Amino acid sequence: MDLLLWRHAEAVDGSPDLARHLTDRGEKQARKVAHWLEKNQPRNLRVLVSPAVRTRQTAAAFTERFEIVSALAPDRGVADLLAACGWPDEHGACLIVGHQPALGQLASLLLSGHEAPWTIKKGALWWFTNRVRDGESQTVLRTAISPDFV
């Protein structure tokens, strides 16, 4: 299975939190990463997004075909993200467009085996894959990209 974690792009401050929308800079960040994804996306990609406006806008730069999942809301945790995407047992690929701190904590769990307060930069995408080698399950970071570098 492939799991892509995309932190929403830069958004305005304010409340209510779920209504915050992308800034002009955030829209540019989302378009840059979306353009990269269009060229490099894995097959059978499911796109899951938080109910927040800023995550829906980020995902919409890439596709209009996404599912809004309440388990990805800003106040949810790593277990919720894992349950929503089915990692590592599902087939195909899943893109989660979500929030800190859960995305960073999930990335740390996948790479180190422990949740830690890692940060994924706004608008950045981390792509993981799960494989079995010699009977052992392995998690591999395929790429981590920032909108500043695409």
Side-chain angles (χ1 to χ4, degrees):
M1 176 181 188
D2 287 296
L3 177 60
L4 293 79
L5 305 178
W6 191 5
R7 183 177 178 190
H8 66 79
E10 182 183 271
V12 298
D13 293 328
S15 62
D17 185 50
L18 292 180
R20 294 172 47 215
H21 59 86
L22 296 182
T23 63
D24 289 342
R25 180 174 185 244
E27 290 175 4
K28 290 175 187 170
Q29 291 172 334
R31 283 194 304 268
K32 285 181 174 183
V33 174
H35 181 70
W36 184 90
L37 263 174
E38 288 166 2
K39 291 191 249 179
N40 297 286
Q41 68 180 297
R43 291 181 181 210
N44 304 317
L45 181 63
R46 290 175 37 220
V47 181
L48 307 178
V49 303
S50 153
V53 169
R54 61 195 180 274
T55 57
R56 290 184 280 144
Q57 289 178 312
T58 299
F62 171 60
T63 182
E64 291 296 327
R65 297 185 59 178
F66 56 80
E67 180 182 345
I68 299 169
V69 180
S70 61
L72 306 179
D75 61 343
R76 304 304 285 267
V78 170
D80 300 306
L81 274 65
L82 289 171
C85 70
W87 175 270
D89 300 319
E90 291 292 322
H91 295 288
C94 183
L95 167 63
I96 292 177
V97 185
H99 309 273
Q100 279 296 113
L103 289 179
Q105 291 168 338
L106 177 53
S108 73
L109 177 65
L110 295 177
L111 289 177
S112 74
H114 304 282
E115 286 185 36
W118 291 9
T119 299
I120 294 177
K121 184 177 171 131
K122 289 179 185 170
L125 176 95
W126 290 31
W127 182 342
F128 300 90
T129 194
N130 184 41
R131 66 183 184 194
V132 177
R133 293 283 160 91
D134 298 324
E136 180 182 324
S137 181
Q138 300 175 342
T139 299
V140 177
L141 177 62
R142 294 196 62 198
T143 193
I145 63 167
S146 168
D148 300 338
F149 291 97
V150 291

